[in-house]
Amino acid sequence: GGPGGPGGPGGPGGLSFAEDCINFNWSQVQARFVGGEWKVVQGNMWMLSFGPRASEAQRAARLIRHYRFDQQCFIGRPGPSMEYWKRSGDVPSGNYPGDDCVSNNPNTTRARYVGGEWKLVDGNHWMVSFGAKQAEARKGEELVRHYRLNRQCFVGRPNASMTYWLAQ
């Protein structure tokens, strides 16, 4: 529930906002050394940059193919405050060997103003910082509920080079 309701700017499925996603073909995703750094690419389109970290780029490409992600989505661009990946219009569940994930409860995950910035939190655990961007934090909360996101996963920590979410 909540504000917005039918007739809002969102697409099918009841989000109150239009998602910002880039479509790609998961089966053609590769890790490549381009212009002096490792990137995850599909053809000429690069999706993620890993600098010198070849193993992280290769793992990210394998993950994308494993989950068959076909959309890379953002809240806030440029410099997105939250990134998530979808398959066939939804966020998949399941797992992949070595997934580095932190669990949350979609029912209790909220956008909160904590320590001078807007964050996505579940109890004392905070997952995403949106800085001063309250509207983006609210979209993050809505996404977590809508897709039942219950695990935030990382490739490379600290300073993850890729973040993805999995659903219940």
Side-chain angles (χ1 to χ4, degrees), residues 20-89:
D20 176 11
C21 298
I22 296 168
N23 299 311
F24 62 90
N25 183 337
W26 64 267
S27 67
Q28 296 174 3
V29 168
Q30 301 177 294
R32 275 218 200 109
F33 193 70
V34 184
E37 61 181 349
W38 282 93
K39 295 186 187 303
V40 166
V41 300
Q42 188 241 287
N44 297 329
M45 179 177 75
W46 72 269
M47 296 141 68
L48 294 166
S49 192
F50 297 83
R53 297 181 303 279
S55 63
E56 290 182 22
Q58 289 156 357
R59 174 162 181 82
R62 284 194 305 271
L63 275 167
I64 289 167
R65 292 191 304 263
H66 169 80
Y67 286 111
R68 299 184 175 194
F69 289 135
D70 56 17
Q71 286 185 303
Q72 181 183 20
C73 305
F74 309 91
I75 294 181
R77 277 203 295 170
S81 44
M82 183 173 170
E83 193 173 339
Y84 59 105
W85 300 73
K86 291 169 46 176
R87 172 179 72 206
S88 306

Side-chain angles (χ1 to χ4, degrees), residues 44-160:
N44 297 329
M45 179 177 75
W46 72 269
M47 296 141 68
L48 294 166
S49 192
F50 297 83
R53 297 181 303 279
S55 63
E56 290 182 22
Q58 289 156 357
R59 174 162 181 82
R62 284 194 305 271
L63 275 167
I64 289 167
R65 292 191 304 263
H66 169 80
Y67 286 111
R68 299 184 175 194
F69 289 135
D70 56 17
Q71 286 185 303
Q72 181 183 20
C73 305
F74 309 91
I75 294 181
R77 277 203 295 170
S81 44
M82 183 173 170
E83 193 173 339
Y84 59 105
W85 300 73
K86 291 169 46 176
R87 172 179 72 206
S88 306
D90 210 349
V91 176
S93 57
N95 53 56
Y96 181 71
D99 272 340
D100 174 14
C101 302
V102 179
S103 296
N104 63 287
N105 179 341
N107 298 318
T108 55
T109 298
R110 301 273 186 274
R112 294 252 191 270
Y113 193 68
V114 183
E117 39 187 60
W118 283 94
K119 294 179 178 171
L120 211 50
V121 301
D122 182 11
N124 293 328
H125 165 63
W126 74 266
M127 293 160 279
V128 182
S129 175
F130 296 87
K133 300 172 184 154
Q134 178 180 4
E136 290 184 14
R138 299 261 181 238
K139 287 180 180 179
E141 177 183 326
E142 193 179 335
L143 277 173
V144 166
R145 288 241 171 64
H146 180 75
Y147 289 115
R148 308 297 304 152
L149 304 181
N150 72 336
R151 282 162 293 157
Q152 182 186 25
C153 306
F154 308 92
V155 175
R157 280 205 289 176
N159 307 317

